[in-house]
Amino acid sequence: MKVWHFSEMAYYPAWPHLKDSYRVVIPSRLFDPKLGADLYHRYLDEWALCDALGINIMTNEHHATATCADSVCTIPMAILARETKKVRLLALGMPIGNRNDPIRVAEEYSIIDVISRGRLEMGFVKGVPFEIAPANTNPAELSERFWEAHDLILKAMTTHDGPFSWEGTHFQYRSVNVWPRPYQQPHPPVWTPVGSTGSATEAAARGMVIGVLNTGWVRTPAIFEAYRTKAREVGRDPTPDRLAYMALIGVGQSREEGRRRADQILDYSRTSGIVAPQFANPPGYVAPQAAAQMLKSGGAMAARATRVQTKDGRPINPRTMSVDDAIDAGLCFAGTPDDVFDQLMAFFHHVGGFGHLLMMGQGGLISHEDTVANLTLFSKEVLPRIAELGLR
Amino acid sequence: MAGIEIGNYMLDGSIAGAGPPLLFLHGGDYVAQNARFLDILARHWQVTAPRHPGFGHSRRPDGFRTVHDLAYLYLDWLDAQRDGAVVVGSSFGGWVALEIAVRSVAKINTLVLIDSLGVKFGGREERDIVDIYALPEDEVRRLTFCDPARFVPDYSTLSDDEAMAIACDRQATALYGWRPYMHDPGLKQWLHRVRVPALLLWGENDGIVTPAYGERLCGTLPNAKFRRIPQAGHYPQIECPDAVADAVQQFAATEVRR
C-alpha cells in the first residue's frame, strides 16, 4: 500500500474570527501575510520531510477559505517537485470544470511531471459546491465542462505531432500544442475524488484511480464495489491500486498522545463544512432528483449533517465529533501504532481492500513538532507493516 | 401533463380560456403560484402558459443553452398566431419576452413586462439585479415577496413530482441565467426595436429588481408605460393577481398598435 501525506495548509489563525462561514465571503484582511508566509514554509517543510520518510505527497486546492490556504494545488507541487527526489506527488486536485483554461492545466501538470522526473499523479476534481461561487462557473453545466476538460487535457498531453483544433461545447481552441510533453508516457496516472456510487462508476469506466474522502465505514464499501463492478464490466482489472481511501491519522508513543494528535487534526473536519447555506447547493450542482429530495427535507445543510455515520448507523455531527465518533465512523485511525494498524486493518477488510491510504497527517491546530512526530512515527512503526497490503 | 406543441418540441404547460391569444412567460421560481393569475386572465383570453424547456417537466433539447434559444422557440409559436398575441413575461420570462421582441414584434400585439430581468444598465461594479445565489434564503424571500409567509410553500409537504418540478425550474434558471447574471449584455442596444405598446408593471416592494430599474427600462423602450403595483414584490401577479390582471386587461383593450 502506498501512503500519501495530505494537508490543506489551513490558515487557522483566522478561525477565531469566523462564525457562520469559513468560506466564500470571509474578508482577506483576516489573512496576515507574515503569519501566512511562516505557515506556507512550515507545511512545505512537513511535505519535504516525507521524502525521507517514504510517505508520498498529496496537495489539493480550495478557494476563498481559511480552511485551505492552498488555492492553487500545483504551486506547492512545483516547489516540492524540486525539493523532493523520491516520493510521488499527487495533486487531488485540479478543479478542471471550474478553471477557464484546460490547456493551462495540461501545461502546469506537464512541467511538474518533467521537473520531478515523472513523479506526478494528476487529479481532476469536480469540486465541492461552495467552489462554484468563487469560480463563478455555471453549476448546471459543471459535469459537462469537467468531462470535456478531462478529454481535452488528456488529448493535449498525449498529442506529439503538432497542433490540433478543438471546437467543443465549452472550450474552443484553434491550435492546441502543449509544451513540454509529460515525462511519463503516455501521461501521468489520472485520479479523481468520488463520494458516490454513481461517480465511482463513471471513474471506473475510464480506469481512473478514485480517492474516496470522508465517506467512512458505512458508505465506502458500496462505492468501492460499484467501482470494481463497473471496471470488470468494461474489461478492466479493478486492482487495489485503483482505489484510495482518506483517513485522518494520529499516532503517538502512547494511546493518549496519538488520540490527542487526532483530536487536533479533526479540527479540519469540524471546520471544513462550515459555509453559509446559500453556497452549499447551487442549483444544478446535483441532479434534480437529489435536489428535489433536499428541497423536501430541509436543504443541503441538513443533508450534509447526516452524511457521516458510525458503524451502527448513528449519524454524527461533523462539527462536534469526538475522536471516538470519528474512529467509529471510519474517518480516523488513532492511538498507538498498534491501534492505528488494527483500525486500518479492520477498515481495509471491511471495504474489500484498497491500494492507497491518503493520510491526513496534518490538519487543524496540530503543531509542527507534533506533525513531524506523527509522520515520523507512522513511517517507522506503521508503514513497514502495511507496505505489502493491497499489492495483491 | 398538458402538452404545448411548438414545431418539433413538446412543452409542459396549460392552455385555458377562450378569447384572443395571450402567451404567459413565467419566471425562474414559484411557477405553480401563477395559477390564480392565469385563471383570471383566462376569463378574457386564451392563455397559453408553457413551462420553458428545462423547467418543470419540460424537457430541454440538447442544443438549448441560452435565452436566445427560448426566444426563437416562442417566435415559432407567435408565427403560428394569425392575428398575433399579447405577450406577458414575468421576471426571467420578461427577459425572454424582450429577447423575442428585439428580434421581431410582427406578431406581438401588446407586450406586458412584470418585474422583468434581462438588461444591464449600471457599471461593471454595480449590481442591477440582486444576486439571489449569494444571499441567505430568508433574505431572498423577503426581497421577493411583500409577504413571504403567504406565498412561499411548505416544501416538506410537496409531492415528489412537485418537488422535482421546482428543482428543475431552479436548475434551468441557473443554466440560462448564471453568467452573465440574469442579463444579456447585448440586449440594451437593441431595445429600440421593441416598437410595440408595452406596459411595465412593477411590484412597489420588489427587492430583486427595484422599481427604479423598471423605470429605467421603461425609458429605454420606444413606446412603454410604467405602473407600480402596491403591496407587491417581485411577483405582483402572484401577490395581487386581480390588480395585475386588470391592468393587463385595460392596457390590451385600449392600446391600439401603431
Side-chain angles (χ1 to χ4, degrees), chain B residues 56-100:
Chain B
H57 300 297
S58 292
R59 203 182 66 77
R60 180 176 66 87
D62 286 343
F64 276 50
R65 289 187 176 272
T66 72
V67 170
H68 303 169
D69 298 310
L70 304 184
Y72 286 113
L73 176 72
Y74 295 127
L75 278 165
D76 277 354
W77 181 89
L78 282 164
D79 283 348
Q81 310 306 309
R82 200 186 56 197
D83 300 318
V86 173
V87 175
V88 180
S90 152
S91 180
F92 174 84
W95 176 12
V96 176
L98 282 169
E99 296 282 1
I100 296 168

Side-chain angles (χ1 to χ4, degrees), chain A residues 292-293 296, chain B residues 154-166:
Chain A
Q293 286 315 308
K296 290 180 65 174
Chain B
D154 176 356
Y155 292 104
S156 68
T157 65
L158 297 181
S159 70
D160 285 351
D161 204 49
E162 290 166 326
M164 182 74 178
I166 293 170

